[in-house]
Amino acid sequence: MASERYNAPVREKHWQKVWDDQGTFQTNDKSKKPKRYQLEMFPYPSGRIHMGHVRCYTLGDVMARYKRAKGFNVLHPMGWDAFGLPAENAAMERKVHPRKWTYENIDTMRGQLKAMGLSIDWSREFATCNPEYYQHQQRLFLDFFKKKLAYRKTAKVNWDPVENTVLANEQVIDGRGWRSGAVVEQRDLTQWFFKITEYAEELLQALDTLQATWPDFVCTQQRNWIGKSTGANMKFALEGGKLPKKLQTLEVFTTRHDTIFGASFMAISAEHPLAAHLAQKNKELAEFIEECRKIGTSEEALAKAEKKGFDTGIVAVHPFKDGVQLPVYVANFIVMGYGTGAIFGCPGHDQRDLDFARKYARPVVPVVLPPGAQADAFSIGAEAYVGEGTMINSEFLNGLTIEAAKDKIAGLLEERGIGERKVNYRMRDWLLSRQRYWGCPIPVIHCPTDGIVPVPIEALPVQLPEDVTFDKPGNPLDHHPTWKHVKCPKCGEPAVRETDTMDTFVDSSWYQFRYTAPNAATPTDKKALKYWAPIDQYIGGKEHAVLHLLYARFFTRGMKATKHVDFDEPFTSMFTQGIVVHETYRSENGDWLTPDEVKIEGDGPNRRATSIATGRPVEIGDIEKMSKSRKNVVDPDDIIAHYGADTARLFIVSDSPPDRDIIWTDAGVAGASRQVQRISRLIDEVAEKQPGKLGPKPATFGPEAHALRRAAHKTLHSVGQNIEGLRYNVAVAQLYELTHALSAAQSQRGEGLDWAIREAAEMLVQMIGPMLPHLAEDCWERLGYNTLLADQSWPQTEPALLVDDRITIAVQVNGKRRDELTIARTASKEEIEAAALKLETVARALDGRSATRVIVVPQRIVNVVG
RNA sequence: GCGGACGUGGUGGAAUCGGUAGACACACAGGACUUAAAAUCCUGAGGGGGCGACCCCGUGCGGGUUCGAGUCCCGCCGUCCGCACCA
C-alpha cells in the first residue's frame, strides 16, 4: 500500500461526509472556550464559484481551522448576498423568475463550496432574499427612520441608464456605474437616504484606532472619501443689481479665511441659485450656464476643461476692508455639491484662483510671506504660494501666523454674525432607493392624508410579490396591478406602498451580526451578540475598501443608536486579499480563448501557444484578473475534480502572500499536487515502518533524534506564528523544510530516532491540517488514530527544543562576512571575541592590521574592525 | 496634481528588532531508475574571476547615518492602486 497514489477526489468526499455526519463544524453557542468569529465576505450567487471565491474562503478556512485547533470556539458561517440586478437580467433574458434563478444558483454554489472542504457551520446559512432575513432589515429601516437616520429628500441623483435605477455616490466610479459601466446621468428625484453624514466625524476618528489592524490603504481611502476640511462660512453683502432679499448675501465656504485681504473676486457655481436668477434676464449668462452643464457630466472632461468665468456685474462687499468691491463671476470650476457652491478667490495663495485671476486680469496681492522672504521684494509669479508664513498686506492681521489669523477672522465673523467656523465633509448621505424588483422592499406607505406612514412592525415582512413581469422598462413593483395598493395603516383610506427597494449594500451591512443568531425573532439576539461580536477577522476583496466596509461601519453605529448592538465597529481586524490573475490568449482573428483551448510549448522567450482546435498560433497576452470577458478563467470544479480541493487550497496558500495578486498557472497547480502526494507517501512510509499510535517517549535521544525533534518543534512554533500573521506562504515553506528533514531522517539510525520520526510525522500531519484538511485527516487515520484530526488540539512545543545549545553566528571583518563560528549559545562576549580573533580567516582578512574594535552581539554576529 | 503601497535571481517569493541576502517553490540543466515514457529520487545553479583554498560585485538609481543597511534618513526613477477644479 505504501506506494499507492493518494486518490484525493475520492478521499475528500469521504472526509467531507464524515465531518458532515458528525456535525464537526457546528458551532456551540454554550461553549466555555474563548470565542473566535472568523468571517469572509459572503458571495453573490451569480451561478458558479470562481477562483476569487476559492482564494477568499481558503484564506479564511485556514485561520478558522487553526483557531479551532488552538482551543477557540470558532464561528465560521456562510450565506448569500442574494438580491441584485443580475437576477432580474436573467429573468428578462431567459424568462426565469429571479427567485428561482437565485436559489438554483445558491444550490449549485453551496455544493461547490462544500467540495472545498470548508469548516463552515452550514446550519447558520441564510440568503438575504429570504423574507425571514429581510423582514428584520425592514425592522431596522423603520427604527432608523424613527431616529431620522433614514429620510426622504429631493436631490440631484446619479441615474444609471443601463440599470434603470439610481446609484449612491460611492457607486459612481469615474462618472460611470460601478456595475454597469454606463455613463451616469444627473436627475432630480425624491429618494430615500441614510444619514451617514451624521457619523462622518466618528467614522473618521475611529479610523485612527482601526489603523492598527486594518490595511493602511483602506483607512486612507476611507479618510479621503469622508474628506474632512476645517474652515469657515463667510457671508458677503451683494450690490449692483436688483436682487430678491434671499439672494442679497452670498455665503462662501473657505479653509483659508486668513487670506481674506488677498481676495480679488468671487466665483459661484453655474448651478447656484444666484446664477439661475441672473440668467433669467441675461441670455449670454444663460448660454454660459448651459455650456458648463454640458461639460459637467463627466469628471474627466471637467478636469481638462479650461477655467472659465462669466462676470455677472454683481459685486460683493469686502467684509473687512472698506470700499473694496469684489466682482462676482459664474465659474465652471465651482461645484454646487461642495460647501455652499461659492468661493472668494485669493489668487496669491491658491493655484486655481491664480489661473483664473490672470485670465480675467484681477489683482494678485500676496498676503502670506514665506519665512525669510522680504515683504517688499515678494510677489507672486506663475505659482501661488501655499506654504507657511506670516501675514502681510492684511491690516490688523499683519505679523500673525496663518493659524492665528484664521482664528482671529473666525472670531470676528462670529462676533459680527456674518459667518462661523465650519467643518465640511466631502461625503454625502447614502442614497439607498433603487427602482428595482429584486431587492428588499422599503416598508413604508404613502397616504394622501397622512403622508409617509411606516408599515407597522407586526405587519412585516413586506414581501415581494411573486407574479411580476419584466417585459417593460422601469420598476416591476410599480407596474404590478395590485401589490402597491393598500389601505393606510393610520386612517384606513386607500394609499400606495413605496415601490423602491433597498440598495443591496444595505443587505450586506448587517448580515455579519445575523449569523450569531440566525433564527432570532428580532434582528439581533443580545446574548448571542455579546458572546460573538464583533468579528475578530474579516477577509475580502480590496474593491470594498470604501463601499461595503464604510456602509457596514455606518450601519453598526445606526444599529447602536437604535439599540440593536452595543458597539461601534463591526470588524476588529480586516484583511484584504489579492485577486487571482491568469494569462490571456487571443487567436489571430482577435477572439479570446480559454486556457484549456490553448496548448503551450517551450519556455522563456521560446514559449509559444497554439489553438488546440485549429492548430493556429495564439498570442499570449497580458496577465489579468480572471474574467469571463477575457476568458482567462479556470473553473474551480475542474481543478477539484482532477486534483482535489487540497491541491487547490495548497496552491492558493503557497508562494504568494495572501494580500498580493496570485498568478494561476497549470505548472503551479501540478506542483501543489506533487507536494500533496509527497506528504502522503512520506506518512505512508512512517506508518508502515511503525504501525499503531505514538508509543511512550524514550528517556534519552541520540544526536540524530535530537536534531529532528528540534526541527519539528521549531517548525511547529513558527508555523503557528506565520498562520496567525496570515503569512501562509512562509508557513508552507517551513512545512516543506520539515518534510525534507523527515525524509532524510528516514534513512538514518540513532537512539530514539524512530520515536522522533513518529512524533515529527504526527506534528506535520497536524500542521498541514488547516491547509490540507482532507489529506491530514487521511494521514491521521493511517497513523492509527480513530479520532478526527479536526477535533485534535494543536500540538504543544517543548520550549527546551526551541533553543539550541550551540549556535552558528556570522563573523564579519569590517562589515564583510568572512567566516562563521559555532559556539555555545550562552557564550559571553569575551569568549566570542576570543574565538573570532583566533580564526585564520579573520587574520587573513585583517591582512596584517590589528583589530581596533570588536563588536559582539551575542547569538547574532561578531564584527571585527581593523 | 495630491495621497497610499511597492521595487530582491529566469519566475513567485523569504529574510518578524539594522546583524550570514536569495529560505521554500516553480521553471531549467545534469544524473539515477526504466526497453521507453510517465511518475519518483538525487545533484547543480545570483553575476563575474581563479586549477584551487578563495576573491570581487550584487536587493531600481544617487547620496547619507552606522562597526554593520534589502531593512533607517535625504534626493531621484519606475510600477500599481485610490482621489482629483473640494474652495
Side-chain angles (χ1 to χ4, degrees):
Chain A
M1 89 161 207
S3 57
E4 237 170 68
R5 274 183 73 80
Y6 171 63
N7 189 336
V10 169
R11 298 308 291 161
E12 289 182 355
K13 281 203 187 68
H14 167 74
W15 290 114
Q16 283 162 17
K17 184 166 186 304
V18 172
W19 293 328
D20 219 27
D21 290 349
Q22 301 200 9
T24 306
F25 302 117
Q26 295 230 350
T27 308
N28 177 5
D29 278 317
K30 297 197 175 78
S31 167
K32 292 246 159 54
K33 292 177 186 173
K35 70 95 183 181
R36 169 84 186 191
Y37 187 175
Q38 173 66 45
L39 186 67
E40 300 92 52
M41 290 180 185
F42 64 168
Y44 176 78
S46 55
R48 303 181 62 74
I49 65 166
H50 52 68
M51 281 305 172
H53 294 126
V54 173
R55 188 169 197 201
C56 184
Y57 301 129
T58 298
L59 296 179
D61 197 51
V62 170
M63 186 60 80
R65 284 178 178 269
Y66 171 74
K67 286 288 178 182
R68 223 178 107 78
K70 286 292 274 187
F72 287 86
N73 187 30
V74 173
L75 175 57
H76 188 215
M78 183 61 71
W80 310 94
D81 187 14
F83 274 135
L85 197 64
E88 287 185 60
N89 290 339
M92 280 181 269
E93 286 160 19
R94 293 180 236 169
K95 308 270 179 263
V96 51
H97 194 277
R99 176 182 308 284
K100 187 168 186 289
W101 183 84
T102 302
Y103 281 101
E104 282 177 2
N105 286 348
I106 287 175
D107 285 341
T108 307
M109 291 172 72
R110 185 193 301 108
Q112 290 184 292
L113 290 182
K114 284 193 170 178
M116 282 179 63
L118 303 172
S119 63
I120 299 260
D121 179 359
W122 286 101
S123 73
R124 291 171 189 253
E125 174 193 356
F126 59 77
T128 55
C129 63
N130 297 349
E132 298 75 40
Y133 178 80
Y134 71 69
Q135 65 175 328
H136 299 293
Q137 189 164 312
Q138 292 174 336
R139 163 74 194 271
L140 291 172
F141 177 88
L142 292 175
D143 287 354
F144 277 34
F145 178 66
K146 218 183 287 169
K147 276 269 179 192
K148 301 206 165 28
L149 289 173
Y151 69 98
R152 225 162 90 100
K153 73 171 177 190
T154 305
K156 280 221 184 315
V157 297
N158 307 304
W159 181 262
D160 186 320
V162 168
E163 298 201 353
N164 274 314
T165 186
V166 297
L167 294 176
N169 288 319
E170 291 85 352
Q171 293 161 8
V172 179
I173 292 152
D174 293 336
R176 292 166 182 272
W178 74 287
R179 196 194 277 272
S180 71
V183 173
V184 165
E185 301 164 8
Q186 301 297 307
R187 290 197 182 179
D188 272 307
L189 288 172
T190 302
Q191 299 283 299
W192 286 96
F193 290 85
F194 280 130
K195 207 160 174 35
I196 190 170
T197 52
E198 175 109 357
Y199 294 96
E201 187 62 31
E202 253 193 65
L203 289 167
L204 182 70
Q205 293 289 325
L207 287 172
D208 292 344
T209 314
L210 289 179
Q211 190 105 43
T213 43
W214 280 40
D216 278 349
F217 83 97
V218 175
C219 296
T220 309
Q221 282 182 30
Q222 293 208 357
R223 275 193 199 100
N224 287 345
W225 186 262
I226 295 167
K228 179 181 182 175
S229 43
T230 308
N233 272 358
M234 201 183 275
K235 284 181 189 141
F236 290 75
L238 297 183
E239 288 176 0
K242 274 188 207 157
L243 293 170
K245 193 139 200 234
K246 258 168 59 186
L247 296 175
Q248 282 171 11
T249 52
L250 179 63
E251 188 168 31
V252 305
F253 173 70
T254 177
T255 57
R256 292 303 302 272
H257 31 305
D258 56 307
T259 65
I260 183 64
F261 286 99
S264 71
F265 65 92
M266 311 291 289
I268 63 173
S269 164
E271 289 164 40
H272 195 279
L274 178 61
H277 174 81
L278 295 171
Q280 287 169 9
K281 287 179 189 159
N282 187 334
K283 207 171 156 225
E284 275 180 81
L285 177 58
E287 278 167 15
F288 179 76
I289 290 171
E290 189 50 37
E291 197 186 316
C292 292
R293 190 166 292 154
K294 271 183 201 156
I295 309 169
T297 46
S298 134
E299 283 175 9
E300 228 177 303
L302 208 66
K304 283 177 197 153
E306 189 188 353
K307 284 162 193 52
K308 276 188 190 168
F310 186 97
D311 191 346
T312 61
I314 304 282
V315 291
V317 178
H318 195 291
F320 297 103
K321 202 171 179 182
D322 287 344
V324 174
Q325 294 190 324
L326 307 164
V328 177
Y329 291 82
V330 174
N332 63 351
F333 59 89
I334 306 298
V335 291
M336 194 58 215
Y338 188 78
T340 63
I343 62 150
F344 76 74
C346 176
H349 306 284
D350 180 292
Q351 190 58 44
R352 189 196 45 196
D353 292 351
L354 181 63
D355 295 345
F356 190 85
R358 295 282 189 230
K359 181 160 182 176
Y360 294 100
R362 298 302 308 161
V364 178
V365 181
V367 290
V368 178
L369 186 67
Q374 287 297 314
D376 42 5
F378 180 62
S379 68
I380 302 291
E383 273 185 34
Y385 178 69
V386 294
E388 288 298 309
T390 49
M391 307 309 299
I392 49 165
N393 303 325
S394 295
E395 303 192 356
F396 56 87
L397 298 178
N398 285 343
L400 294 180
T401 63
I402 291 174
E403 279 317 305
K406 278 183 182 171
D407 202 53
K408 184 143 195 180
I409 290 291
L412 285 171
L413 290 172
E414 281 164 2
E415 208 173 284
R416 296 187 197 171
I418 53 165
E420 70 277 310
R421 291 176 172 87
K422 172 85 181 162
V423 173
N424 251 315
Y425 299 92
R426 201 187 78 104
M427 182 167 66
R428 300 276 92 93
D429 277 339
W430 172 11
L431 194 166
L432 73 113
S433 297
R434 293 294 180 273
Q435 290 70 48
R436 309 299 325 177
Y437 165 72
W438 196 232
C440 173
I442 294 175
V444 298
I445 290 163
H446 299 280
C447 172
T449 41
D450 294 308
I452 292 168
V453 183
V455 172
I457 284 175
E458 56 278 10
L460 297 182
V462 175
Q463 287 217 42
L464 290 168
E466 280 298 302
D467 50 335
V468 279
T469 53
F470 296 89
D471 44 11
K472 43 185 163 178
N475 184 351
L477 288 179
D478 211 27
H479 303 147
H480 193 279
T482 58
W483 183 79
K484 69 178 173 185
H485 300 291
V486 288
K487 283 189 175 135
C488 169
K490 234 181 201 169
C491 67
E493 293 301 309
V496 286
R497 280 192 195 286
E498 174 64 66
T499 56
D500 282 356
T501 52
M502 296 185 208
D503 181 4
T504 57
F505 277 102
V506 183
D507 313 345
S508 55
S509 287
W510 71 285
Y511 79 110
Q512 67 275 11
F513 303 134
R514 188 67 190 164
Y515 287 130
T516 64
N519 302 311
T522 47
T524 59
D525 175 275
K526 288 269 145 67
K527 221 177 126 195
L529 208 57
K530 188 155 188 61
Y531 178 64
W532 289 114
I535 284 75
D536 293 286
Q537 186 178 58
Y538 197 35
I539 301 181
K542 294 175 160 74
E543 68 276 20
H544 291 297
V546 173
L547 290 163
H548 163 56
L549 291 172
L550 189 60
Y551 289 144
R553 295 183 61 218
F554 156 71
F555 221 77
T556 305
R557 284 168 172 78
M559 287 174 76
K560 189 184 179 192
T562 52
K563 303 207 161 33
H564 291 283
V565 305
D566 59 2
F567 49 87
D568 294 313
E569 288 294 338
F571 312 115
T572 304
S573 111
M574 174 72 215
F575 188 87
T576 48
Q577 106 238 13
I579 56 174
V580 183
V581 296
H582 195 285
E583 270 181 342
T584 51
Y585 308 105
R586 267 188 129 152
S587 71
E588 288 163 307
N589 52 26
D591 294 338
W592 299 103
L593 295 175
T594 63
D596 44 324
E597 290 172 326
V598 173
K599 191 169 141 198
I600 309 271
E601 285 161 309
D603 60 76
N606 299 318
R607 210 154 162 274
R608 298 279 183 274
T610 46
S611 161
I612 292 169
T614 64
R616 302 291 304 161
V618 168
E619 185 197 338
I620 300 176
D622 291 338
I623 295 170
E624 292 181 47
K625 179 176 181 172
M626 283 192 181
S627 74
K628 281 177 192 159
S629 63
R630 297 290 154 101
K631 288 198 175 178
N632 58 339
V633 287
V634 175
D635 191 334
D637 265 10
D638 295 344
I639 301 296
I640 290 171
H642 189 241
Y643 295 101
D646 282 345
T647 291
R649 294 171 61 118
L650 182 59
F651 176 80
I652 289 288
V653 295
S654 312
D655 296 342
S656 282
D659 57 339
R660 278 194 226 173
D661 292 351
I662 184 171
I663 305 171
W664 190 275
T665 62
D666 284 349
V669 177
S673 176
R674 272 198 297 276
Q675 295 294 348
V676 167
Q677 295 300 334
R678 214 166 277 166
I679 293 169
S680 176
R681 226 174 13 248
L682 178 65
I683 298 302
D684 272 343
E685 285 165 21
V686 173
E688 198 178 10
K689 277 189 199 162
Q690 305 180 54
K693 299 177 193 177
L694 181 68
K697 184 178 164 187
T700 52
F701 292 99
E704 302 84 0
H706 196 62
L708 181 61
R709 294 199 71 217
R710 274 210 310 263
H713 283 257
K714 279 182 185 171
T715 305
L716 178 63
H717 179 74
S718 57
V719 163
Q721 287 191 327
N722 283 319
I723 291 178
E724 298 257 6
L726 277 136
R727 294 178 296 268
Y728 296 163
N729 54 322
V730 185
V732 169
Q734 288 165 340
L735 288 171
Y736 287 164
E737 281 185 84
L738 181 61
T739 309
H740 294 322
L742 194 45
S743 278
Q746 287 275 70
S747 57
Q748 296 175 340
R749 302 181 132 232
E751 188 188 4
L753 186 59
D754 283 348
W755 193 89
I757 287 172
R758 241 336 262 233
E759 183 197 32
E762 293 196 5
M763 281 183 173
L764 177 67
V765 168
Q766 295 196 59
M767 282 190 278
I768 62 168
M771 292 149 183
L772 306 166
H774 311 87
L775 175 67
E777 206 68 80
D778 215 69
C779 290
W780 190 245
E781 187 183 58
R782 288 183 234 161
L783 286 170
Y785 293 94
N786 52 18
T787 52
L788 282 182
L789 179 85
D791 290 328
Q792 301 305 305
S793 43
W794 196 251
Q796 298 278 323
T797 53
E798 282 180 31
L801 291 170
L802 300 183
V803 286
D804 299 315
D805 297 340
R806 292 179 71 75
I807 53 171
T808 301
I809 62 174
V811 179
Q812 295 181 338
V813 176
N814 293 326
K816 283 188 180 175
R817 182 185 166 279
R818 294 296 174 187
D819 205 345
E820 53 186 37
L821 190 61
T822 300
I823 197 162
R825 186 176 52 82
T826 52
S828 68
K829 281 192 175 191
E830 292 72 24
E831 287 171 301
I832 296 171
E833 178 173 339
L837 288 174
K838 253 186 247 166
L839 290 168
E840 189 215 331
T841 43
V842 171
R844 187 173 349 126
L846 279 172
D847 196 23
R849 287 160 300 174
S850 60
T852 53
R853 198 176 156 195
V854 181
I855 286 122
V856 180
V857 183
Q859 297 175 47
R860 280 202 183 277
I861 205 158
V862 48
N863 188 11
V864 180
V865 185

